[in-house]
Amino acid sequence: MGNQAYKMKKIIVVFLLFNCTYIFSQKLKLPKGWNLISLKGKPAYINLITGKVTREFPKKVKKKLSVIIEEEEENDDDIFDPTITYKVKKGETIVTIAKKFDLTIDNLYQLNNLKTIKELGAGKNIIIGYAHNMEEKNAFLKGDISILKHEH
């Protein structure tokens, strides 16, 4: 009997380990409109619509708001994309790009979730900031880089 009890305990432990591994290995899916970023070397989340940054995993959007978002998505012309990107030119480095837009190198690494400089290459579109509204984005497109310094 003692041997059977030991085998049963062993089976239960293996079963529990398998279940725990399976449950914790599942990747949490971000709700629509959120993106994972790195903030001071730690994971954070940015709301692509409002620009809000948080370290807490975002909760799913309430039903009413998701219906509104789905209705807005039907007409792509009305969707506001707050992302401000820049296409890296040949010979540019992370340092020259940071100086060009009055950003820190750390900002560029965080915004683009870069791990190494090798990931930054000519022709690649990188994120240099987020606009709160279309007016800010248009101002940036006309050359006003000061909007990149606004508070989230």
Side-chain angles (χ1 to χ4, degrees):
M1 281 249 196
N3 197 18
Q4 284 183 337
Y6 174 75
K7 286 181 182 180
M8 188 57 103
K9 284 181 186 179
K10 192 174 179 180
I11 290 171
I12 291 172
V13 168
V14 169
F15 177 76
L16 289 174
L17 283 174
F18 173 77
N19 280 338
C20 289
T21 304
Y22 178 76
I23 290 169
F24 290 110
S25 69
Q26 297 298 309
K27 197 168 197 172
L28 293 174
K29 188 175 179 186
L30 285 170
K32 197 172 211 168
W34 286 87
N35 201 3
L36 175 67
I37 61 171
S38 176
L39 187 61
K40 296 183 182 175
K42 295 183 179 178
Y45 307 94
I46 186 164
N47 184 308
L48 298 176
I49 297 168
T50 65
K52 178 185 173 190
V53 176
T54 180
R55 289 202 186 272
E56 294 179 20
F57 191 85
K59 296 179 177 133
K60 289 195 176 189
V61 180
K62 292 180 182 174
K63 189 68 173 172
K64 287 182 183 178
L65 185 56
S66 65
V67 170
I68 292 169
I69 290 172
E70 286 173 11
E71 288 173 5
E72 288 176 358
E73 287 177 356
E74 289 175 10
N75 184 357
D76 288 343
D77 297 336
D78 294 341
I79 296 174
F80 168 65
D81 179 7
T83 311
I84 298 174
T85 60
Y86 175 74
K87 191 170 193 168
V88 179
K89 295 178 180 74
K90 187 176 180 179
E92 287 184 314
T93 65
I94 197 160
V95 174
T96 59
I97 295 168
K99 285 182 181 178
K100 183 175 194 169
F101 295 106
D102 195 25
L103 299 169
T104 66
I105 295 169
D106 194 39
N107 288 136
L108 290 175
Y109 272 98
Q110 290 171 2
L111 288 167
N112 294 280
N113 207 14
L114 296 173
K115 291 177 181 53
T116 67
I117 289 178
K118 292 178 184 177
E119 295 178 63
L120 184 72
K124 182 175 181 180
N125 282 323
I126 61 168
I127 298 170
I128 57 171
Y130 295 95
H132 283 131
N133 52 49
M134 198 60 197
E135 290 78 28
E136 278 188 0
K137 193 164 186 175
N138 286 334
F140 172 80
L141 294 173
K142 291 178 183 173
D144 182 8
I145 64 168
S146 67
I147 70 110
L148 298 174
K149 293 293 184 183
H150 62 69
E151 294 290 320
H152 289 288

